Short mmCIF file of all heavy atoms in Angstrom, two decimals:
data_model
loop_
_atom_site.label_atom_id
_atom_site.label_comp_id
_atom_site.label_asym_id
_atom_site.label_seq_id
_atom_site.Cartn_x
_atom_site.Cartn_y
_atom_site.Cartn_z
N GLU W 532 103.81 -14.43 72.72
CA GLU W 532 103.23 -14.14 74.03
C GLU W 532 104.23 -13.44 74.94
O GLU W 532 103.91 -12.43 75.58
CB GLU W 532 102.76 -15.45 74.68
CG GLU W 532 102.04 -15.24 76.00
CD GLU W 532 101.48 -16.53 76.58
OE1 GLU W 532 101.35 -17.52 75.82
OE2 GLU W 532 101.20 -16.56 77.79
N GLU W 533 105.45 -13.96 74.98
CA GLU W 533 106.45 -13.33 75.84
C GLU W 533 106.89 -11.98 75.27
O GLU W 533 107.11 -11.02 76.01
CB GLU W 533 107.66 -14.23 76.02
CG GLU W 533 108.68 -13.64 77.00
CD GLU W 533 109.75 -14.63 77.39
OE1 GLU W 533 109.41 -15.75 77.80
OE2 GLU W 533 110.94 -14.27 77.29
N GLY W 534 107.02 -11.91 73.95
CA GLY W 534 107.40 -10.65 73.32
C GLY W 534 106.34 -9.58 73.54
O GLY W 534 106.66 -8.40 73.72
N HIS W 535 105.08 -9.98 73.53
CA HIS W 535 103.99 -9.04 73.80
C HIS W 535 104.17 -8.41 75.18
O HIS W 535 104.04 -7.19 75.35
CB HIS W 535 102.65 -9.77 73.72
CG HIS W 535 101.46 -8.91 74.04
ND1 HIS W 535 100.86 -8.09 73.11
CD2 HIS W 535 100.77 -8.73 75.20
CE1 HIS W 535 99.84 -7.46 73.68
NE2 HIS W 535 99.77 -7.83 74.94
N MET W 536 104.46 -9.24 76.17
CA MET W 536 104.66 -8.74 77.53
C MET W 536 105.90 -7.84 77.60
O MET W 536 105.90 -6.80 78.25
CB MET W 536 104.78 -9.90 78.51
CG MET W 536 103.53 -10.75 78.63
SD MET W 536 102.09 -9.80 79.21
CE MET W 536 102.60 -9.42 80.89
N PHE W 537 106.95 -8.26 76.91
CA PHE W 537 108.19 -7.50 76.97
C PHE W 537 108.04 -6.12 76.33
O PHE W 537 108.44 -5.11 76.90
CB PHE W 537 109.32 -8.27 76.28
CG PHE W 537 110.59 -7.48 76.12
CD1 PHE W 537 111.30 -7.07 77.23
CD2 PHE W 537 111.05 -7.14 74.86
CE1 PHE W 537 112.46 -6.32 77.10
CE2 PHE W 537 112.21 -6.38 74.70
CZ PHE W 537 112.92 -5.98 75.83
N PHE W 538 107.46 -6.05 75.13
CA PHE W 538 107.32 -4.77 74.47
C PHE W 538 106.40 -3.84 75.24
O PHE W 538 106.64 -2.63 75.31
CB PHE W 538 106.78 -4.97 73.04
CG PHE W 538 107.86 -5.12 72.01
CD1 PHE W 538 108.49 -6.33 71.82
CD2 PHE W 538 108.25 -4.04 71.23
CE1 PHE W 538 109.49 -6.49 70.87
CE2 PHE W 538 109.25 -4.18 70.28
CZ PHE W 538 109.88 -5.40 70.10
N ASN W 539 105.33 -4.36 75.83
CA ASN W 539 104.37 -3.52 76.53
C ASN W 539 104.77 -3.18 77.95
O ASN W 539 104.46 -2.09 78.44
CB ASN W 539 103.00 -4.20 76.54
CG ASN W 539 102.26 -4.07 75.22
OD1 ASN W 539 101.72 -3.00 74.91
ND2 ASN W 539 102.26 -5.13 74.43
N PHE W 540 105.43 -4.12 78.63
CA PHE W 540 105.68 -3.94 80.06
C PHE W 540 107.14 -4.05 80.47
O PHE W 540 107.49 -3.72 81.60
CB PHE W 540 104.83 -4.94 80.85
CG PHE W 540 103.37 -4.85 80.52
CD1 PHE W 540 102.75 -5.83 79.75
CD2 PHE W 540 102.61 -3.76 80.94
CE1 PHE W 540 101.41 -5.74 79.41
CE2 PHE W 540 101.26 -3.66 80.61
CZ PHE W 540 100.66 -4.65 79.85
N GLY W 541 108.00 -4.53 79.58
CA GLY W 541 109.41 -4.61 79.91
C GLY W 541 109.79 -5.92 80.57
O GLY W 541 109.22 -6.97 80.27
N LYS W 542 110.72 -5.85 81.47
CA LYS W 542 111.26 -7.04 82.13
C LYS W 542 110.59 -7.25 83.49
O LYS W 542 110.56 -6.35 84.32
CB LYS W 542 112.77 -6.92 82.31
CG LYS W 542 113.44 -8.14 82.90
CD LYS W 542 114.95 -7.95 82.99
CE LYS W 542 115.62 -9.20 83.57
NZ LYS W 542 117.10 -9.03 83.66
N GLU W 543 110.03 -8.45 83.68
CA GLU W 543 109.37 -8.74 84.96
C GLU W 543 110.36 -8.66 86.10
O GLU W 543 111.50 -9.12 86.00
CB GLU W 543 108.72 -10.13 84.92
CG GLU W 543 107.87 -10.42 86.14
CD GLU W 543 107.05 -11.71 86.04
OE1 GLU W 543 107.24 -12.45 85.04
OE2 GLU W 543 106.23 -11.97 86.95
N GLY W 544 109.93 -8.04 87.18
CA GLY W 544 110.81 -7.85 88.33
C GLY W 544 111.59 -6.56 88.28
O GLY W 544 112.19 -6.15 89.27
#
Side-chain angles (χ1 to χ4, degrees):
E532 185 176 342
E533 184 169 309
H535 178 84
M536 296 300 293
F537 172 65
F538 269 81
N539 282 284
F540 305 106
K542 184 178 181 180
E543 187 171 6

